[in-house]
Amino acid sequence: QVQLVESGGGLVQPGGSLGLSCAASGSIFSIGAMGWYRQAPGKQRELVADITRGGSTNYADSVKGRFTISRDNAKNTVYLQMNSLKPEDTAVYYCIMAITIATTPQVDDYWGQGTQVTVSS
């Protein structure tokens, strides 16, 4: 019943910027941590950044100083602003949220559908 929809991916030149957005909808009781993962061809999915409900953030070493994660709790949305992009940032980016739905006390992880980010000249 819960759905996460991502937007904002695309093609950008090295040094450019992109902003990703992920919004959750459905029978949501509460949302805890939110985050972004990415997966390049032939590689494992890796954590890019995460953010707690209170706003504490964590970043992979490879993106520190270049990416910024933020959230809007009223809109059930998480964002990823990506600056100074490099070819090695090319991947499918997935959002994730820890969500408790109205019909159960259990907390489960929900994933977005993924959005392609390509950094190339």
Side-chain angles (χ1 to χ4, degrees), residues 72-77:
D72 186 333
N73 292 330
K75 296 181 178 180
N76 293 335
T77 300

Side-chain angles (χ1 to χ4, degrees), residues 46-57:
E46 64 174 351
L47 178 66
V48 176
D50 59 67
I51 182 169
T52 68
R53 183 173 178 84
S56 296
T57 59

Side-chain angles (χ1 to χ4, degrees), residues 2 16 20 37 40 46 54 71 73-74 78 80 86-87 96 106 115 121:
V2 173
L20 305 182
Y37 282 74
E46 64 174 351
R71 62 190 288 167
N73 292 330
V78 62
L80 186 68
K86 305 174 181 179
I96 183 171
Q106 183 178 352
T115 185
S121 60

Side-chain angles (χ1 to χ4, degrees), residues 20 36-38 46-50 57-69 80-91 93 117 119:
L20 305 182
W36 291 92
Y37 282 74
R38 67 186 181 186
E46 64 174 351
L47 178 66
V48 176
D50 59 67
T57 59
N58 176 65
Y59 297 92
D61 289 340
S62 60
V63 307
K64 285 181 179 177
R66 300 188 298 120
F67 291 11
T68 302
I69 187 170
L80 186 68
Q81 179 62 45
M82 304 182 292
N83 300 324
S84 302
L85 283 161
K86 305 174 181 179
E88 51 263 44
D89 295 318
T90 296
Y93 284 70
V117 172
V119 184

Side-chain angles (χ1 to χ4, degrees), residues 8-25:
L11 175 65
V12 65
Q13 294 188 144
S17 298
L18 282 176
L20 305 182
S21 178
C22 174
S25 62

